[in-house]
């Protein structure tokens, strides 16, 4: 990374490094959308989410909408917050899931602080979203919290 050739508004990342990151994101997204590829392994998903969410300066809640075979239908960033909070409306999440005709969903949001540990508020909204999505037969498979390079999984902790 060559910081000396980086313009002041690039956050310390050179234009060449920015192009490399965009290219990596494109390759990972293409792999996630590959026909027949399902989300049975979370490594590509986690890498893609790190690239998408870790550098954000505000909290963002995103959803990966999946079909019956857990293949990616769409990726939506539904809510943007501040540096340490976000307001999430379950109605809007359900509406987006129905719009995409999704069978399952993976929630993801970032913690700009770099700490991936889910808060009590994260746990509460996840439960509300799970209940709301259950009403329309969309399975919530996981909620991933991205904090820098670390990712906490609700499913791995037995919270879903």
């Amino acid at each position: 990374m060559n910081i000396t050739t980086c313009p002041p508004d690039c956050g310390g990342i050179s234009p060449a490094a920015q192009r490399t990151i965009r290219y990596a994101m494109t390759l990972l997204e293409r792999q996630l959308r590959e026909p027949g590829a399902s989300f049975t392994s979370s490594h590509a998903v986690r890498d893609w989410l790190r690239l998408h969410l870790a550098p954000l300066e505000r909290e963002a809640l995103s959803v990966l909408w999946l079909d019956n075979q857990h293949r990616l239908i769409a990726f939506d960033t539904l809510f943007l917050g501040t540096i340490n909070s976000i307001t999430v409306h379950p109605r809007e999440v359900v509406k987006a899931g129905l719009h995409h005709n999704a069978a399952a969903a993976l929630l993801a949001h970032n913690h700009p602080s770099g700490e991936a540990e889910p808060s009590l508020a994260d746990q509460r909204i996840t439960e509300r979203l799970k209940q709301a999505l259950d009403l329309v037969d969309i399975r919530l498979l996981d909620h991933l919290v991205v904090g820098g390079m670390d990712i906490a999984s609700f499913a791995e902790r037995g919270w879903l």
Side-chain angles (χ1 to χ4, degrees):
M1 191 180 320
N2 187 353
I3 295 174
T4 58
T5 61
C6 179
D9 62 344
C10 73
I13 300 174
S14 71
Q18 290 177 24
R19 283 191 299 277
T20 301
I21 291 168
R22 280 194 301 272
Y23 181 68
M25 289 173 68
T26 301
L27 289 176
L28 283 168
E29 186 169 4
R30 203 174 293 148
Q31 180 183 356
L32 296 178
R33 290 183 185 274
E34 186 177 301
S38 62
F39 283 54
T40 54
S41 170
S42 64
H43 295 294
V45 175
R46 287 172 184 251
D47 290 342
W48 191 71
L49 288 173
R50 272 188 206 98
L51 288 170
H52 254 297
L53 297 177
L56 299 179
E57 295 178 352
R58 321 187 284 168
E59 283 198 29
L61 180 105
S62 300
V63 184
L64 290 99
W65 300 109
L66 310 173
D67 67 11
N68 274 322
Q69 284 73 44
H70 297 170
R71 293 177 300 214
L72 184 65
I73 296 170
F75 174 80
D76 287 333
T77 297
L78 297 177
F79 305 100
L80 291 174
T82 64
I83 61 168
N84 62 357
S85 69
I86 191 168
T87 302
V88 175
H89 303 280
R91 169 189 166 84
E92 296 303 316
V93 176
V94 169
K95 191 164 86 171
L98 292 173
H99 169 78
H100 292 297
N101 199 29
L106 290 169
L107 295 176
H109 85 279
N110 65 314
H111 284 170
S113 67
E115 178 60 46
E117 188 61 31
S119 68
L120 185 56
D122 294 339
Q123 294 176 43
R124 287 182 180 149
I125 193 61
T126 302
E127 184 55 38
R128 286 188 62 208
L129 291 172
K130 182 179 180 340
Q131 290 171 355
L133 290 168
D134 279 347
L135 291 172
V136 293
D137 294 325
I138 298 174
R139 294 178 312 282
L140 180 57
L141 302 177
D142 204 350
H143 183 167
L144 301 163
V145 181
V146 179
M149 293 306 290
D150 294 328
I151 296 183
S153 164
F154 279 54
E156 287 175 3
R157 292 177 180 211
W159 294 354
L160 283 177

